[in-house]
Amino acid sequence: MRGTNSSQAVAFAVLIALVIVSPSVLYPVFVMKVLCFALFAAAFNLLIGYVGLLSFGHAAFFGLGAYVTAWTAKTWGLTPEIAILLGGISGAALGTVFGWLAIRRQGLYFAMITLALAQMVYFFCVEAPFTGGEDGIQQVPRGKLFGALSLANDMAIYWVVAVIFLIGFFLLNRTVHSPFGQVMKAIRENEPRATSLGYRTDSYKLIAFILSTFIAGIAGGTKSLVFGIATLTDVHWSMSGEVVLMTLLGGLGTIFGPVMGALVVTAMENYLAPFGAWVTVTQGLIFIACVLAFRRGIVGEIAARLKLAL
Amino acid sequence: MFSIFGVPAPLLFGQLLLGLINGGFYAMLSLGLAVIFGMLNIINFAHGAMFMMGAFVAWMLLNYLGVNYWFALILTPLIVGLFGVVLEKTVISRLYKLDHLYGLLLTFGLALVIEGLFRNEYGSSGMPYQIPTLLSGAVNLGFMFLPVYRGWVIVAALVVCLATWGLIEKTKLGSLLRAATENPALVQAFGVNVPRLVTLTFAGGVALAAFAGVLAAPIYSVNPNMGSNFINTVFAVVVIGGMGSIFGAIVSGFGLGVIEGLTKVFYPQASDTVIFVVMVLVLLTRPAGLFGKAA
């Protein structure tokens, strides 16, 4: 693939192999959860890792995607691919508005504004009639792909999720390695300089934001079909925190970091689930450890040790 | 019984009162955030956790040691402030050379740890804190009944906010603080111990949050989530007011509390979102915030 180096090509091959093999080794629903979060984290990483924008409200787009997909699949009986696409489009539509507002400020303010806007979406979802309030939208049918292939079986939907994940992941990777991606990185490194070279940095930021929120909506929609449920958890600020954690732990600004982070965080939550609030404590400690001592993240650290770009 | 704009007056004044109380908390919390931000260039995400700790420390003082409300009101900010000193010295001071975003991430982690630990120990249901006898009961103001404690919270919040403003704008220490915010290297060159000033600032901001927590304890139930419920709204308040101005933080805190209260009367469905709507309007018209300098 153009723009990727040989080590990344190898890593891609390994990733695809893992996606194909893992459902026969691990519980497929768990792997699907990891893939959905990996896609979500990769979308988030496009902003923090490559444009330098910390969006602390990405749960809004993920959650809205989940709600829209669940609602259209359940109420209108739309086929899964259309429902998920609508989830992505609604994520992008919200992202267009929020991005347009938030890029007026930079740095910490950007983070606070996205957080506050996402909180507004959360309160909206609590009140709005179509979200089902505290109950959420339950028993969402997985439906039939293209109206023909039933996805009720876990392995059937697994391949759909795998394909969605890989397409989304390649799209994000392609964006990062495109001329557009080069400008994004230039903005991250030195925004005034990028402006002085004649780039409309605000437009670049907005387009990156919309792309990221589109993929986040897709990830949320896919998740809601896999589990048959869309709830307030998906739009809550702790979900925004979780995707930050995944990306930070995996490695900010690395291609494969978000996937690694999603795997580790999801696995950790599974194993620690019986211990209640210890999950939160552990997540907090990982945050602190990552910031103080481990800022490159897992993949970033491996890449630095092996002198590779992953 | 009379009514204003078709709304019964007791309802209107009742919500206005609640709005002023919430506004007092918004003002105290955003004030602390603004002071810390000015000096440390860090958005303290753990501010809500400090608020919650304030309420819990007061509860523990009462239930484990029998220390009453009035002593708790003085002791709690000192205890939590001391905790702030430890945090700043051990963890936060390592961040000053890094990108500001890491400060946000680190304090977010701290908030998760603190809230998680309290949730493990005390559950999420919350515990009551008795209103002190001196402040219980209500007075008839003619147009409404005012619960004494609620009136006290508004007065106390206002006094503390104005005292903080006075401390920063009118005293020697405050002038050093403002100078160090502008140019730490120069102030250091004049022989001022800037790192200590930074530590004190963090402790002061945190103590302010803890004081708010003690005030809040008898109104809300003391529970581990009380801070995070508040803090997201406070961030919106901070964006609206602009970080640059102490006075702006106070005015926008109280003002937004009142707006929220009034929305509860006239259009209750929007009461949770109204502050965020105001934030959007401010961003559209004055991106730097109502009282902020362009940044």
Side-chain angles (χ1 to χ4, degrees):
Chain A
M1 193 186 296
R2 268 181 62 205
T4 44
N5 55 38
S6 57
S7 57
Q8 280 174 343
V10 172
F12 265 119
V14 172
L15 180 70
I16 294 173
L18 281 177
V19 168
I20 294 171
V21 174
S22 49
S24 44
V25 185
L26 298 161
Y27 182 45
V29 175
F30 170 76
V31 185
M32 285 191 275
K33 191 177 179 188
V34 172
L35 290 181
C36 290
F37 279 113
L39 187 59
F40 182 27
F44 170 79
N45 186 40
L46 181 74
L47 293 178
I48 178 87
Y50 295 100
V51 201
L53 294 173
L54 172 58
S55 162
F56 227 105
H58 247 47
F61 316 110
F62 182 79
L64 187 71
Y67 274 125
V68 168
T69 302
W71 197 84
T72 52
K74 189 176 178 181
T75 318
W76 290 348
L78 293 186
T79 52
E81 71 286 351
I82 309 267
I84 289 175
L85 194 62
L86 282 177
I89 290 171
S90 40
L94 189 68
T96 310
V97 179
F98 283 10
W100 180 69
L101 284 168
I103 56 174
R104 286 155 192 265
R105 303 301 303 272
Q106 280 142 8
L108 291 169
Y109 280 96
F110 183 88
M112 282 198 291
I113 291 165
T114 45
L115 176 77
L117 289 171
Q119 190 69 9
M120 182 163 88
V121 172
Y122 174 79
F123 284 128
F124 172 76
C125 288
V126 173
E127 295 276 340
F130 81 96
T131 59
E134 298 283 340
D135 298 332
I137 306 176
Q138 298 182 4
Q139 289 163 339
V140 180
R142 286 180 182 173
K144 292 180 175 168
L145 189 68
F146 306 119
L149 290 161
S150 170
L151 298 181
N153 185 308
D154 279 348
M155 279 317 290
I157 198 169
Y158 179 83
W159 298 116
V160 177
V161 174
V163 167
I164 292 173
F165 165 75
L166 287 174
I167 292 176
F169 193 71
F170 282 124
L171 178 67
L172 289 168
N173 182 53
R174 194 68 207 90
T175 309
V176 168
H177 290 107
S178 67
F180 178 83
Q182 298 298 329
V183 182
M184 275 174 20
K185 282 177 243 174
I187 293 172
R188 176 189 66 187
E189 296 302 328
N190 192 339
E191 187 172 347
R193 182 108 197 270
T195 310
S196 78
L197 290 172
Y199 292 105
R200 289 174 192 268
T201 54
D202 276 359
S203 313
Y204 280 86
K205 284 185 193 171
L206 184 57
I207 293 170
F209 199 85
I210 295 170
L211 179 63
S212 171
T213 52
F214 174 70
I215 305 273
I218 295 271
T222 313
K223 203 219 75 169
S224 75
L225 283 192
V226 170
F227 290 93
I229 187 169
T231 63
L232 289 173
T233 318
D234 300 331
V235 277
H236 195 246
W237 58 265
S238 52
M239 180 64 80
S240 301
E242 222 160 275
V243 74
V244 180
L245 178 67
M246 288 171 184
T247 313
L248 182 67
L249 178 63
L252 296 178
T254 61
I255 299 285
F256 295 93
V259 183
M260 175 67 90
L263 175 65
V264 175
V265 171
T266 314
M268 186 194 78
E269 278 166 15
N270 262 24
Y271 288 113
L272 287 180
F275 302 101
W278 287 111
V279 178
T280 324
V281 177
T282 317
Q283 286 180 341
L285 289 175
I286 297 177
F287 257 110
I288 297 170
C290 280
V291 171
L292 288 181
F294 197 59
R295 280 186 291 279
R296 288 195 195 117
I298 298 172
V299 170
E301 197 65 40
I302 294 172
R305 291 278 163 84
L306 301 177
K307 299 196 169 56
L308 298 172
L310 290 173
Chain B
M1 191 86 98
F2 63 103
S3 63
I4 300 164
F5 301 125
V7 175
L11 174 66
L12 183 67
F13 287 119
Q15 290 299 345
L16 210 55
L17 179 70
L18 273 180
L20 275 175
I21 290 174
N22 273 341
F25 291 128
Y26 294 155
M28 283 187 282
L29 290 176
S30 60
L31 189 58
L33 277 178
V35 174
I36 291 174
F37 178 75
M39 197 69 173
L40 285 75
N41 263 319
I42 277 181
I43 297 286
N44 183 22
F45 223 116
H47 218 65
M50 301 295 163
F51 171 77
M52 180 270 290
M53 271 179 83
F56 262 98
V57 169
W59 183 88
M60 287 176 194
L61 284 174
L62 181 69
N63 287 281
Y64 299 154
L65 301 174
V67 177
N68 72 20
Y69 176 82
W70 299 104
F71 284 106
L73 208 51
I74 300 164
L75 275 178
T76 306
L78 291 177
I79 294 170
V80 179
L82 205 63
F83 179 68
V85 170
V86 174
L87 271 188
E88 200 276 338
K89 282 282 178 205
T90 53
V91 191
I92 294 174
S93 59
R94 293 158 191 260
L95 297 175
Y96 298 144
K97 292 190 188 78
L98 300 175
D99 192 319
H100 301 333
L101 294 179
Y102 283 113
L104 185 72
L105 298 177
L106 181 99
T107 49
F108 182 74
L110 280 175
L112 289 183
V113 171
I114 294 169
E115 288 183 4
L117 288 175
F118 274 97
R119 210 171 300 142
N120 269 335
E121 193 61 33
Y122 296 98
S124 332
S125 50
M127 290 155 318
Y129 188 102
Q130 198 75 40
I131 293 177
T133 40
L134 187 63
L135 297 174
S136 54
V139 285
N140 190 350
L141 296 180
F143 53 91
M144 68 176 289
F145 278 97
L146 173 72
V148 177
Y149 188 78
R150 305 205 157 199
W152 151 252
V153 168
I154 296 173
V155 173
L158 204 57
V159 168
V160 166
C161 284
L162 291 177
T164 312
W165 174 77
L167 178 74
I168 292 171
E169 297 291 336
K170 304 286 176 205
T171 65
K172 180 88 191 310
L173 181 67
S175 64
L176 281 179
L177 210 76
R178 279 178 290 137
T181 305
E182 289 288 325
N183 191 338
L186 191 63
V187 176
Q188 178 101 34
F190 286 154
V192 177
N193 190 340
V194 172
R196 183 181 294 165
L197 209 55
V198 168
T199 310
L200 279 179
T201 307
F202 187 76
V206 162
L208 206 57
F211 182 82
V214 185
L215 283 182
I219 297 185
Y220 308 101
S221 69
V222 178
N223 79 78
N225 306 323
M226 62 193 291
S228 48
N229 291 344
F230 252 110
I231 200 69
N232 288 326
T233 314
V234 172
F235 280 143
V237 173
V238 165
V239 173
I240 293 167
M243 281 292 213
S245 148
I246 300 294
F247 197 65
I250 300 173
V251 172
S252 43
F254 276 100
L256 288 161
V258 169
I259 291 177
E260 198 181 41
L262 289 179
T263 317
K264 277 205 183 95
V265 180
F266 293 105
Y267 191 60
Q269 294 88 336
S271 60
D272 283 330
T273 42
V274 65
I275 289 188
F276 303 105
V277 174
V278 174
M279 182 187 82
V280 169
L281 294 177
V282 168
L283 278 174
L284 289 176
T285 49
R286 283 186 63 106
L290 292 179
F291 302 91
K293 289 158 235 137

